[in-house]
Amino acid sequence: MKKKVCVIGAGPSGITAAKNLLDEGHTVQVYDYGHEVGGNWVFSDKPSHSSVFETTHIISSKTLSQYDDFPLPDDYPDYPSHQQLAAYFQNYARHFGLYPHIQFNILVKKCELAPDGSWMVTTERDGVSTTERFDALAVCNGHHWKPRYPEYPGTFSGKLMHSHDVKRFSDFAGKRVLVIGGGNSACDVAVESCRVSALTEISWRRGYWIVPKFIMGKPSDTVGGLLRFVPNWLWRKITSQMIKTIQGNNSAYGLPEPEDDFGFHHPTVNSELFYFMRHGKIKPRPDIDHYEGNTVVFKDGSKQEYDVVVACTGYYISHPFFDTSLINYSEGEVPLYLKMLHPTIQNIYFIGLFQPLGCIWPGAELQSKIMARELSGQWKRPSNTNKLAIDEVRHPDFQQIKTPRHTITVNYHAFRKRLLKELPPDYIRKLSVVPVGRKD
Ligand SMILES: Cc1cc2nc3c(=O)[nH]c(=O)nc-3n(C[C@H](O)[C@H](O)[C@H](O)COP(=O)(O)OP(=O)(O)OC[C@H]3O[C@@H](n4cnc5c(N)ncnc54)[C@H](O)[C@@H]3O)c2cc1C
Ligand SMILES: NC(=O)c1ccc[n+]([C@@H]2O[C@H](COP(=O)([O-])OP(=O)(O)OC[C@H]3O[C@@H](n4cnc5c(N)ncnc54)[C@H](OP(=O)(O)O)[C@@H]3O)[C@@H](O)[C@H]2O)c1
């Protein structure tokens, strides 16, 4: 039962897909339109797939951000930099002999189902198109690269950009900058901007929980992980209380309070936002009402002139190589069982298409193992995948506010548990409870 599999993307999800498919003896062809392994973590000064800034460090901590098969180096800090992560992913690819299976600078243009059920994959390089047949498709093209812009009445006459295109903060030196959003990009951009800008302000349309990077000297996600055995509602209450005890209310910083307990939105992890607000370096603003030239008018009637507006308003899920009548997850629900199995098309696997409260690639690794085992006949999906996919949408790990960024959320620990249940017991025993390499 050896299959010929096309893997789209050589980011953290694509490389673990390739590694685990090769482990099961499948023939693997990875295509990536970039020039190196690492996806989002391959920083570039030029516009590219990557959305990281020159200063990005991860927000999911080291112990929870490593492949089970390949621990992060011992000398890496709790929150490695984007350079360290890129090196880690490239070392993974070298260690497991993946490079000969990857073709770079190749864009996957089109994936079509042939009448016999196989996939016809059309790629393009230097304007030349090639089509090849594959038994199965592993879709690992990432979901943080196609910018979602907000729309307001009027036109902003200064520079309007998206966080995807923020590269170096020297571009903001001496400028008046407005940052839109309360997610991790917004808070990172505000903090870095305020070090060099003439003015940095941040506009939130609602209240968010801001989690410090460390609690009692430990990375916050590992502290949160200690509570993974308590019911969700209690975990949310305890976490909310803990954050309030450490930082106080948002109103102490001039920001709106969160509408619900922790977990109602994707967590924002940042230890410097509040610090800089209380040093007068970042000023809070409410939601935007409209633009008037280089002036932004806010919903409370206040206004301010800016040179730059940075929309840190998230990303669309996008699979431009599929006919939208076949697959389109850019709006609304994403009904995939285990966030990877399509209800009706058996030979397509989405790897990494989920948003954990934690790190993506350990879950992508487990998904890849399940995919590889199914393709070699060692694992069989349930016959009611369709129903299970719908159940998963109806009963998410967290009830979150219904905004576009919250369609694929999972609880890191609960999701890993569900994936591990589909793998042989010896694999689970080998891992015990925590990922290999964990020290604390
Ligand atoms: C600033 C920032 C910080 C982040 N920090 C964290 C963090 O701390 N922890 C965490 O878990 N996640 C974080 N993320 C989320 C990030 O998406 C994941 O870390 C990770 O990169 C996902 O891996 P992936 O392989 O699924 O996707 P990507 O890393 O996006 O890789 C996708 C790959 O597919 C290739 N590709 C895409 N389309 C095509 C095509 N049509 N043809 C050929 N190749 C294609 C791309 O070139 C790329 O190499 C962060 C995201 C951002 C933007
Ligand atoms: N250092 C890091 O590791 C780091 C840095 C950046 C990003 N990331 C990761 O990258 C991913 C993307 O993060 P992101 O921050 O770019 O996007 P995001 O999580 O989707 O956050 C977008 C933010 O913009 C707001 N927003 C969206 N549309 C808006 C509108 N029309 N008007 C006003 N506000 C609007 C959202 O508010 P609502 O909640 O109301 O929708 C949210 O606060 C996440 O997984 C994140 O953890 C990590």
Side-chain angles (χ1 to χ4, degrees):
M1 297 273 282
K2 300 307 171 199
K3 297 282 164 57
K4 182 179 168 193
V5 187
C6 172
V7 177
I8 305 173
S13 300
I15 55 173
T16 190
K19 185 262 181 198
N20 286 289
L21 287 164
L22 289 167
D23 281 356
E24 284 291 330
H26 301 295
T27 302
V28 176
Q29 180 58 64
V30 185
Y31 294 120
D32 198 296
Y33 62 11
H35 66 281
E36 237 313 351
V37 158
N40 183 50
W41 299 98
V42 182
F43 172 79
S44 169
D45 274 311
K46 297 195 198 110
S48 74
H49 177 87
S50 172
S51 302
V52 298
F53 327 122
E54 61 176 327
T55 50
T56 299
H57 282 245
I58 54 173
I59 47 154
S60 52
S61 78
K62 176 181 172 179
T63 47
L64 299 178
S65 303
Q66 48 194 341
Y67 299 109
D68 294 327
D69 288 340
F70 196 71
L72 277 162
D74 278 343
D75 61 354
Y76 270 29
D78 288 310
Y79 293 103
S81 67
H82 66 79
Q83 292 95 337
Q84 288 173 312
L85 282 169
Y88 170 66
F89 296 126
Q90 288 153 17
N91 285 335
Y92 179 99
R94 251 188 302 278
H95 181 80
F96 294 115
L98 306 182
Y99 276 99
H101 302 272
I102 306 173
Q103 287 189 46
F104 292 106
N105 303 307
I106 295 213
L107 175 72
V108 174
K109 288 277 285 185
K110 209 175 349 166
C111 302
E112 294 168 301
L113 269 175
D116 68 355
S118 57
W119 284 100
M120 302 305 290
V121 176
T122 303
T123 56
E124 193 178 277
R125 182 181 195 156
D126 300 332
V128 179
S129 286
T130 313
T131 301
E132 199 166 338
R133 194 199 69 79
F134 290 92
D135 298 314
L137 209 54
V139 181
C140 314
N141 67 323
H143 53 92
H144 293 128
W145 56 269
K146 186 174 180 189
R148 180 192 298 279
Y149 277 90
E151 285 176 15
Y152 307 106
T155 310
F156 179 64
S157 61
K159 181 174 172 144
L160 174 63
M161 63 190 299
H162 190 276
S163 52
H164 173 70
D165 299 311
V166 173
K167 302 294 178 189
R168 295 195 184 271
F169 289 92
S170 50
D171 295 347
F172 295 171
K175 302 265 168 59
R176 295 163 298 173
V177 180
L178 176 68
V179 176
I180 309 172
N184 288 293
S185 293
C187 296
D188 276 3
V189 168
V191 160
E192 297 303 331
S193 164
C194 85
R195 299 184 210 274
V196 295
S197 67
L199 172 77
T200 294
E201 304 195 331
I202 188 166
S203 159
W204 282 13
R205 68 170 167 184
R206 69 182 85 248
Y208 304 100
W209 291 100
I210 303 294
V211 187
K213 277 198 150 169
F214 297 93
I215 295 176
M216 295 178 296
K218 301 244 179 236
S220 318
D221 56 0
T222 61
V223 176
L226 298 175
L227 297 170
R228 65 184 177 276
F229 303 111
V230 307
N232 229 336
W233 67 267
L234 184 58
W235 176 75
R236 293 181 60 188
K237 288 250 171 277
I238 296 172
T239 309
S240 307
Q241 200 46 56
M242 199 151 54
I243 296 171
K244 277 196 179 224
T245 307
I246 295 169
Q247 321 201 108
N249 292 331
N250 282 2
S251 56
Y253 306 89
L255 289 162
E257 297 299 342
E259 299 151 38
D260 204 344
D261 286 333
F262 181 78
F264 89 97
H265 67 85
H266 177 61
T268 302
V269 183
N270 195 300
S271 289
E272 292 181 291
L273 180 78
F274 287 167
Y275 172 89
F276 281 121
M277 294 189 100
R278 292 295 278 269
H279 283 71
K281 300 282 282 179
I282 302 173
K283 188 174 167 195
R285 290 283 186 180
D287 200 4
I288 293 174
D289 189 71
H290 64 278
Y291 297 133
E292 280 175 12
N294 66 348
T295 298
V296 177
V297 182
F298 297 93
K299 289 234 158 112
D300 62 357
S302 62
K303 49 174 80 170
Q304 170 67 42
E305 287 183 4
Y306 300 99
D307 303 303
V308 187
V309 170
V310 193
C312 302
T313 41
Y315 296 90
Y316 288 100
I317 296 172
S318 177
H319 300 109
F321 33 77
F322 293 126
D323 189 312
T324 49
S325 63
L326 187 69
I327 285 160
N328 182 4
Y329 299 134
S330 62
E331 306 280 353
E333 298 175 342
V334 182
L336 296 170
Y337 178 50
L338 296 175
K339 298 280 178 274
M340 66 185 284
L341 302 179
H342 191 277
T344 54
I345 309 171
Q346 305 256 330
N347 57 347
I348 186 168
Y349 299 86
F350 292 84
I351 306 296
L353 186 54
F354 56 90
Q355 182 64 71
L357 272 66
C359 184
I360 290 181
W361 49 94
E365 181 184 35
L366 297 180
Q367 288 182 321
S368 299
K369 290 182 190 299
I370 294 169
M371 163 180 71
R373 290 172 63 78
E374 176 166 65
L375 286 170
S376 57
Q378 296 189 67
W379 183 84
K380 202 166 159 14
R381 70 185 63 197
S383 55
N384 59 343
T385 310
N386 191 9
K387 179 184 175 303
L388 293 172
I390 292 166
D391 284 353
E392 214 171 283
V393 170
R394 297 279 173 271
H395 307 288
D397 289 343
F398 294 100
Q399 287 300 339
Q400 291 186 304
I401 189 154
K402 296 237 173 303
T403 64
R405 65 175 171 152
H406 293 134
T407 58
I408 51 172
T409 302
V410 294
N411 172 329
Y412 175 95
H413 297 284
F415 187 53
R416 270 182 66 82
K417 218 163 141 188
R418 290 202 290 279
L419 294 171
L420 281 166
K421 247 173 67 186
E422 306 301 332
L423 290 163
D426 60 335
Y427 182 77
I428 299 169
R429 259 201 306 278
K430 199 175 86 191
L431 287 176
S432 67
V433 182
V434 290
V436 175
R438 181 168 164 169
K439 289 267 164 58
D440 59 350

